[in-house]
Amino acid sequence: MAKSAARRGKLWTTPAVQALRAAKDVDVAELDAAGTPGFRGDKVAGAALLAEREPRLSALQEKLYANGRSGDHRAVLLVLQGMDTAGKGGIVRHVIGAVDPQGVDHASFGVPTEEEKQHHYLWRIRNALPRAGRIGVFDRSHYEDVLVVRVHNLVPPDVWEPRYDEINAFEKEVVDAGTAIVKVALVISKDEQHDRLRERLERPDKYWKYNPGDVDERGFWPDYQQAYQAMLDRTNTAHAPWFLLPADRKWFARLAVTELLIHTLESMDLDWPPPNFDVETELRRLG
Ligand code: ADP
């Protein structure tokens, strides 16, 4: 354990939680999407470390779940935002893959359904919040309501503009009720997106991931950058901070999210819940 911690310390020169925390004056256009902030290992070292850290994440998640079963109302919510092909799905697969799926509440948010359109935009979000003891994963989120909605003028500015403050207040309420929120913006370069879309068109096993609309959205790149910038400027709060994750290297994005979740769970100071029965009596009864 001590040896692996020392090795980890050498690879992470700055802990992920610090290296990736979006700075107040961050300029999203300046971010190097191929960078590995805080980490000085390569893909091989990153993959090895990830394999080593997954059991830690899994053990912490089991403790969170055990506490949830014993009346603790706390939970964790991982919010994933990013342009098409940024790797949100890969992170979901990875996070759920590393832990007991019973302990994960997963939700993805696409174009609102007819029913969802009848409600306030946070309605479907509230309904999908993780239950006690769970790790919730949002593949897209309420931030679509200030991203795609803003870029395409789906509602007028006087409707989307107040949403930043409203989202901050909503997240405060969620955090105060015991759910830690980890917001991750995956940032890929335009070139990398091109290559990932091209791969989807060149491989029959990837056609299913291709959506012609993705190419249309790509045409709005600068507008999306502006919308992401506004999102970071307006909703990067102390209670629900944004982490800005360079995502051209999938191995790094997965390792980094694992570290962010481990950090969040460790900060919760989880212990195994005490028994709600008398152990001695039960041992005697069992014989
Ligand atoms: P993905 O592209 O992530 O695989 P989907 O095919 O379900 O998933 O598509 C998600 C699409 O839904 C994206 O284009 C996204 O911008 C859009 N979307 C999500 N939330 C909203 C919203 N509130 N209003 C309009 N469009 C939305």
Side-chain angles (χ1 to χ4, degrees):
M1 190 68 186
K3 216 168 109 195
S4 67
R7 197 155 68 79
R8 194 165 70 246
K10 279 198 193 125
L11 290 169
W12 280 106
T13 53
T14 309
V17 68
Q18 282 168 33
L20 301 170
R21 176 79 164 82
K24 278 211 168 0
D25 57 351
V26 69
D27 182 349
V28 76
E30 290 293 304
L31 189 85
D32 174 12
T36 62
F39 191 77
R40 69 167 167 212
D42 59 6
K43 182 175 179 173
V44 173
L49 183 56
L50 179 60
E52 198 181 297
R53 295 294 275 162
E54 280 172 344
R56 175 75 184 141
L57 177 60
S58 175
L60 286 162
Q61 181 266 337
E62 192 180 353
K63 261 189 190 164
L64 178 69
Y65 188 72
N67 280 283
R69 292 291 297 260
S70 306
D72 189 331
H73 56 281
R74 288 178 299 170
V76 171
L77 174 61
L78 174 67
V79 172
L80 297 172
Q81 281 295 157
M83 297 290 284
D84 295 314
T85 77
K88 300 184 294 295
I91 303 260
V92 171
R93 211 165 42 245
H94 161 73
V95 172
I96 296 179
V99 305
D100 183 345
Q102 285 188 93
V104 177
D105 279 338
H106 167 258
S108 58
F109 298 97
V111 177
T113 62
E114 281 311 313
E115 189 192 17
E116 287 167 351
K117 278 186 200 153
Q118 307 297 315
H119 294 271
H120 187 267
Y121 70 98
L122 290 175
W123 178 77
R124 63 177 183 166
I125 305 294
R126 283 185 197 278
N127 285 343
L129 288 171
R131 292 166 292 173
R134 308 315 204 277
I135 296 180
V137 186
F138 279 3
D139 180 345
R140 303 185 190 269
S141 66
H142 39 302
Y143 286 101
E144 291 292 327
D145 292 280
V146 287
L147 291 169
V148 66
V149 167
R150 172 177 166 145
V151 167
H152 292 290
N153 301 309
L154 300 181
V155 298
D158 64 325
V159 175
W160 58 252
E161 166 60 34
R163 287 182 176 171
Y164 298 102
D165 291 341
E166 192 173 30
I167 286 172
N168 289 337
F170 163 68
E171 290 179 348
K172 181 82 171 59
E173 191 192 309
V174 172
V175 170
D176 287 348
T179 296
I181 304 181
V182 182
K183 301 189 295 199
V184 176
L186 296 160
V187 178
I188 48 162
S189 63
K190 206 171 173 198
D191 286 349
E192 179 67 19
Q193 190 194 49
H194 175 271
D195 294 351
R196 290 185 188 178
L197 286 172
R198 193 167 179 98
E199 190 182 35
R200 291 180 182 183
L201 285 170
E202 286 173 347
R203 285 180 42 181
D205 63 326
K206 299 241 177 187
Y207 290 161
W208 68 275
K209 289 190 180 185
Y210 186 79
N211 173 1
D214 293 351
V215 174
D216 300 318
E217 288 307 280
R218 192 173 151 74
F220 291 90
W221 196 271
D223 303 280
Y224 270 106
Q225 261 193 348
Q226 203 184 20
Y228 269 89
Q229 184 67 49
M231 176 188 87
L232 292 168
D233 291 343
R234 305 279 308 269
T235 63
N236 192 11
T237 56
H239 58 270
W242 274 108
F243 295 94
L244 205 48
L245 184 50
D248 277 7
R249 299 174 200 251
K250 289 181 183 168
W251 64 265
F252 178 69
R254 290 172 193 181
L255 174 65
V257 172
T258 301
E259 294 295 355
L260 293 176
L261 286 174
I262 288 175
H263 171 84
T264 305
L265 287 159
E266 283 179 343
S267 312
M268 293 168 89
D269 255 335
L270 296 161
D271 217 336
W272 292 111
N276 58 3
F277 45 82
D278 183 62
V279 176
E280 290 307 320
T281 308
E282 294 307 308
L283 277 171
R284 266 197 311 278
R285 271 169 22 90
L286 181 64

